[in-house]
């Protein structure tokens, strides 16, 4: 990448098992093989102290009020904001597996007020592109039964999907809706085709923050 041009901030979002981890890793390796400087990250980042508290909650070893865990998820993003910014400004493209929108979708699905859920993430970096992997839930459960973590229940995932749709409707200019039931190869091709344009556009634009 040309010196002085910033990297792109690319996020993958969607319900459980929609293929975020698979596709974000694949895009990272495709772009790396093209010579793009890439950093792959994911949220929650369970390696920090706050991430440890989140992990205890998700694995059902600790109960927390809905508002408390929501703020911890947001704090877990805030503790990474400086390092993401530094990488982007140094020309590294950051590919992120779940971000702010998972925060709003999962908490609002529990009945926490949607605007309240969005508020703590205002001021975080806004992605240049979000790949939203959406499929009907029967399709996703056929990829193996949900595991033991707190949110891995069908009814709850349905509500999460509705909240992701709501977020997408408000942000369709930079969200790319993908049919997660397509084959790995079809999705990889579709994502790679969009990503090239995202990298070029981001290089010409200043970073922006979530309003
Ligand atoms: N959470 C929250 O509440 N608030 C927040 O702010 C944040 C998160 C950031 C942990 O997340 C939980 O935290 C999560 C949301 C909540 N809730 N739950 N449960 P996580 O990211 O650690 O969850 P995960 O278990 O790593 O990822 P995932 O969402 O369950 O799956 P995925 O990454 O979307 O899917 P995958 O691992 O890529 O693929 C799943 C399987 O399907 C795998 O066997 C693949 O080989 C297969 N697959 C993938 N794509 C395809 C296609 N196209 N065809 C066929 N098979 C496929
Ligand atoms: Mg994953």
């Amino acid at each position: 990448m040309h010196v002085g041009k910033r990297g792109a901030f690319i996020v993958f979002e969607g319900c459980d098992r929609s293929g975020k981890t698979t596709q974000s890793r694949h895009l990272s390796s495709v772009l790396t093989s093209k010579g793009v400087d890439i950093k792959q990250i994911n949220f929650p980042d369970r390696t920090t102290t706050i991430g440890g508290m989140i992990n205890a909650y998700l694995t059902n070893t600790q109960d927390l009020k809905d508002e408390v865990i929501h703020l911890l998820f947001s704090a877990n993003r805030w503790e990474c904001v400086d390092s993401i910014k530094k990488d982007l400004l140094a020309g590294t493209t950051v590919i992120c597996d779940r971000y702010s929108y998972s925060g709003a979708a999962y908490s609002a699905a529990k009945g926490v007020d949607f605007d309240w859920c969005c508020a703590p993430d205002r001021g975080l970096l806004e992605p240049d592109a979000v790949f939203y992997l959406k499929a009907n839930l029967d399709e996703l459960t056929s990829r193996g039964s949900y595991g033991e973590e707190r949110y891995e229940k069908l009814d709850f995932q349905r509500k999460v999907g509705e909240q992701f749709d709501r977020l997408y409707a408000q942000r369709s200019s930079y969200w790319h809706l993908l049919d997660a039931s397509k084959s790995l190869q079809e999705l990889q091709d579709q994502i790679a085709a969009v990503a090239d344009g995202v990298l070029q556009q981001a290089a010409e634009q200043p970073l922006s923050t979530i309003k």
Side-chain angles (χ1 to χ4, degrees):
M1 183 167 283
H2 187 271
V3 176
K5 303 266 182 180
R6 75 166 174 91
F9 185 26
I10 298 177
V11 166
F12 284 78
E13 287 283 13
C15 286
D16 283 29
R17 302 266 153 74
S18 55
K20 300 173 298 298
T21 300
T22 307
Q23 293 299 338
S24 55
R25 285 186 184 155
H26 188 266
L27 180 62
S28 295
S29 67
V30 167
L31 293 177
T32 301
S33 70
K34 289 184 181 174
V36 180
D37 197 7
I38 294 290
K39 177 139 179 209
Q40 162 118 41
I41 61 171
N42 61 277
F43 289 109
D45 175 354
R46 302 190 198 211
T47 65
T48 68
T49 306
I50 291 170
M53 294 163 80
I54 293 171
N55 186 55
Y57 173 83
L58 288 172
T59 54
N60 292 309
T61 55
Q62 188 180 4
D63 266 330
L64 293 169
K65 257 182 93 58
D66 293 343
E67 288 80 359
V68 173
I69 185 63
H70 183 77
L71 293 172
L72 289 177
F73 273 118
S74 180
N76 187 230
R77 287 183 283 277
W78 276 104
E79 59 186 350
C80 298
V81 69
D82 291 346
S83 94
I84 298 175
K85 190 171 183 178
K86 193 168 159 223
D87 283 331
L88 292 170
L89 293 178
T92 300
T93 282
V94 177
I95 299 187
C96 182
D97 183 358
R98 289 195 192 273
Y99 190 54
S100 190
Y101 313 102
S102 282
Y106 283 76
S107 294
K110 296 176 187 169
V112 183
D113 179 74
F114 181 81
D115 290 332
W116 187 93
C117 290
C118 295
D121 279 20
R122 291 194 184 122
L124 285 175
L125 291 172
E126 185 159 56
D128 295 296
V130 175
F131 289 109
Y132 170 29
L133 287 152
K134 175 180 160 124
N136 90 39
L137 290 180
D138 297 333
E139 172 87 27
L140 299 184
T141 49
S142 75
R143 292 178 185 173
S145 58
Y146 284 132
E148 297 298 316
E149 286 208 338
R150 187 178 289 263
Y151 296 145
E152 298 184 334
K153 315 224 167 16
L154 197 58
D155 279 355
F156 184 67
Q157 290 296 321
R158 215 176 294 285
K159 289 185 187 157
V160 173
E162 287 165 13
Q163 296 301 328
F164 273 126
D165 286 346
R166 175 179 185 169
L167 287 156
Y168 167 65
Q170 297 167 344
R171 292 163 180 78
S172 54
S173 61
Y174 65 99
W175 278 46
H176 302 271
L177 178 65
L178 299 166
D179 177 355
S181 64
K182 286 191 177 170
S183 71
L184 288 177
Q185 188 64 55
E186 282 176 292
L187 285 164
Q188 286 163 5
D189 293 347
Q190 216 178 329
I191 291 166
V194 175
D196 284 341
V198 171
L199 260 65
Q200 279 171 26
Q201 268 199 339
E204 304 302 329
Q205 282 171 2
L207 288 172
S208 61
T209 52
I210 294 176
K211 306 291 182 296

